[in-house]
Amino acid sequence: MKTLYLMRHAKSDWSEPNKTDFERGLNTRGTKDALKMCSVIQHFKEKPSHFFCSTAKRARMTIEPFQTHLTFKLSYTDKLYSFTGSDYIQFIKEIPHNYESVLILGHNPSVEYVVTYLLNAKGGSIRIPTSSLLKIVIETESWKEIEAGRGVLHYFLYPKIVGQIV
């Protein structure tokens, strides 16, 4: 069994139109939401041992609170600054075999594509709001062998619902 945590970056800042997509940071709500989601994962018994994060500024800013409050290995990769779901599936298939539990922090529509693919949600996609955190357990011994429909959703959290229960 492999465990995949997927997280979409927090709400980005569009107030500076001269910045490129890659350079956009977080707005005030995004900063608060990233911290809120970090505080939630701190209380979980099981946590990912390795985090993979897009190199885009908004993704790096989303991961910052996690670096302050949790212990994990972190790899930044340009491969996650992609908006093609098949690129994310390929990235997941290349995760080293010895990594049992990982978190991928990236972008839509790729995050939505991976969730839809792993949960085999035929007939549409699953909407993933900013700062969402999902835990999917995949019935496989190797990341190379992931296939559509092999994932089991354990939870799907996002800031609005967390705010109602915490």
Side-chain angles (χ1 to χ4, degrees):
M1 301 285 248
K2 301 291 185 187
T3 303
L4 177 65
Y5 296 82
L6 282 167
M7 186 169 187
R8 183 177 170 200
H9 66 76
K11 191 77 174 161
S12 61
D13 184 3
W14 288 84
S15 68
E16 297 181 59
N18 293 339
K19 287 194 173 180
T20 66
D21 180 74
F22 187 82
E23 296 170 329
R24 275 189 292 119
L26 300 181
N27 66 17
T28 302
R29 184 182 120 200
T31 302
K32 288 178 187 174
D33 287 350
L35 188 56
K36 184 184 292 184
M37 297 310 289
C38 174
S39 69
V40 167
I41 202 169
Q42 281 181 287
H43 294 92
F44 292 155
K45 254 176 142 171
E46 298 175 14
K47 297 174 186 68
S49 59
H50 198 104
F51 285 45
F52 294 99
C53 183
S54 164
T55 52
K57 184 175 182 178
R58 61 191 177 277
R60 289 181 285 125
M61 289 177 72
T62 300
I63 203 85
E64 281 176 8
F66 292 82
Q67 290 177 283
T68 304
H69 300 287
L70 298 171
T71 302
F72 55 87
K73 294 176 187 161
L74 173 63
S75 299
Y76 291 103
T77 176
D78 290 329
K79 291 180 180 181
L80 294 176
Y81 184 66
S82 167
F83 304 95
T84 306
S86 58
D87 289 346
Y88 273 47
I89 296 298
Q90 186 58 43
F91 179 84
I92 293 166
K93 289 183 176 199
E94 294 171 3
I95 294 172
H97 177 73
N98 60 320
Y99 291 7
E100 298 295 324
S101 173
V102 301
L103 182 141
I104 292 177
L105 195 154
H107 309 271
N108 264 352
S110 298
V111 171
E112 288 179 351
Y113 178 90
V114 171
V115 172
T116 301
Y117 175 85
L118 291 174
L119 302 181
N120 206 17
K122 293 182 180 178
S125 67
I126 298 169
R127 185 179 170 277
I128 310 294
T130 54
S131 299
S132 291
L133 176 65
L134 297 91
K135 178 182 178 182
I136 300 173
V137 175
I138 306 166
E139 298 183 31
T140 186
E141 295 303 314
S142 171
W143 294 107
K144 287 183 220 180
E145 298 169 1
I146 65 166
E147 295 175 356
R150 300 274 300 269
V152 176
L153 180 66
H154 281 230
Y155 57 75
F156 179 178
L157 300 171
Y158 50 95
K160 283 185 182 177
I161 198 160
V162 168
Q164 294 174 2
I165 57 176
V166 177

